[in-house]
Amino acid sequence: MAFLLTMLGAALACGLEMLEALAIVLAVAATRRPRDAVAGALAALVVCGALGAVLGPALVGRVAGEPLRLVIGVALLLFGLEWLRKAILRLAGRRSRSSSFAEFVAEREALEAEALPPAGRPDWPARVVAFKGVLLEGIEVVLIVAALGARPGGAAPALAGAAIALAAAVALGLVLHRPLRRLPETELKYLVGLVLTSFGTFFTAEGLGVDWPLGDAALLALVALYFVASQLMAGALARGRGAAVGTPA
């Protein structure tokens, strides 16, 4: 149970972050020169790889037992609650829906205003945009995978989920040359928020000495609990928004 949920959470979280990075890289490649977009993206991947190689062993080597579970739990709660907060606001209509395609269009329009350098010279604006986009999303991927993989038995499913996400993102980029327009990113990010928040609660409680009566199956109960609570919150916010809109000035 924990293996499948860990792999699912890692795959979805990493996949959505990679999709946003892909949108930026494809916008640079479509507007400027593909080689500069690839150069910036590869440089960011090298930095993220180095960060992952240092962070994972350092986290496991310096912290162990219940303190490790507490650190992992708090980290996942921070990520999960932020994803869940944004998803609730989007589902309630209080925030625009998530769309990597819209980000692709916005980046492309911004880059079109920049003049291209002469042929044969590096296009530094393009490289910086691609580097920054991949780096920011990549750091979040590294942190999520490191947190999920730091628990005993968590490395394999976390890395497997990240590998699946990476393969899917690369395939989409090569085949479609732009992000998926109809992908339900808001609902997928909502699911990621539920999974990460549930894992965070589970590990934080374990780090504080709580012994879950259902074992790993308690994760499903936590997902269900957060699902019901978030749906009630989204519904209340949607009704509040509708009442505000319908109130005469």
Side-chain angles (χ1 to χ4, degrees):
M1 183 65 63
F3 185 97
L4 292 176
L5 281 176
T6 300
M7 187 171 66
L8 174 65
L12 287 175
C14 296
L16 291 169
E17 296 292 349
M18 290 175 186
L19 192 63
E20 293 181 1
L22 177 66
I24 296 172
V25 173
L26 291 177
V28 175
T31 311
R32 314 289 288 189
R33 295 169 184 156
R35 68 173 183 272
D36 291 296
V38 172
L42 288 177
L45 288 175
V46 170
V47 175
C48 291
L51 178 62
V54 172
L55 183 61
L59 183 61
V60 176
R62 292 179 179 274
V63 188
E66 291 184 352
L68 175 60
R69 293 185 178 90
L70 184 59
V71 170
I72 295 170
V74 171
L76 290 175
L77 272 175
L78 290 175
F79 281 113
L81 288 174
E82 180 63 12
W83 283 57
L84 201 54
R85 180 186 70 84
K86 292 178 180 178
I88 290 172
L89 291 174
R90 288 174 178 132
L91 291 174
R94 296 295 186 97
R95 185 173 180 151
S96 60
R97 292 180 64 85
S98 180
S99 172
S100 60
F101 182 80
E103 189 171 359
F104 167 83
V105 173
E107 288 289 348
R108 186 180 61 186
E109 291 176 350
L111 286 166
E112 285 174 347
E114 295 282 345
L116 280 170
R121 292 188 179 181
D123 186 356
W124 289 110
R127 294 187 181 192
V128 168
V129 170
F131 175 83
K132 182 178 68 173
V134 174
L135 181 65
L136 294 177
E137 304 298 341
I139 288 175
E140 192 160 352
V141 167
V142 169
L143 293 175
I144 290 173
V145 172
L148 287 173
R151 66 182 292 268
L159 291 174
I164 292 170
L166 179 60
V170 172
L172 286 174
L174 293 175
V175 174
L176 300 178
H177 304 292
R178 63 177 57 195
L180 287 174
R181 192 168 190 172
R182 296 183 179 179
L183 188 70
E185 292 182 43
T186 295
E187 287 74 16
L188 289 175
K189 288 186 175 182
Y190 174 47
L191 178 58
V192 172
L194 290 174
V195 172
L196 293 184
T197 302
S198 299
F199 267 110
T201 303
F202 186 85
F203 295 147
T204 299
E206 281 193 334
L208 294 173
V210 173
D211 186 16
W212 293 97
L214 300 177
D216 289 345
L219 286 166
L220 292 179
L222 288 171
V223 170
L225 175 64
Y226 282 118
F227 174 77
V228 172
S230 60
Q231 286 293 314
L232 291 174
M233 292 176 65
L237 286 171
R239 289 191 296 272
R241 180 175 182 268
V245 171
T247 302

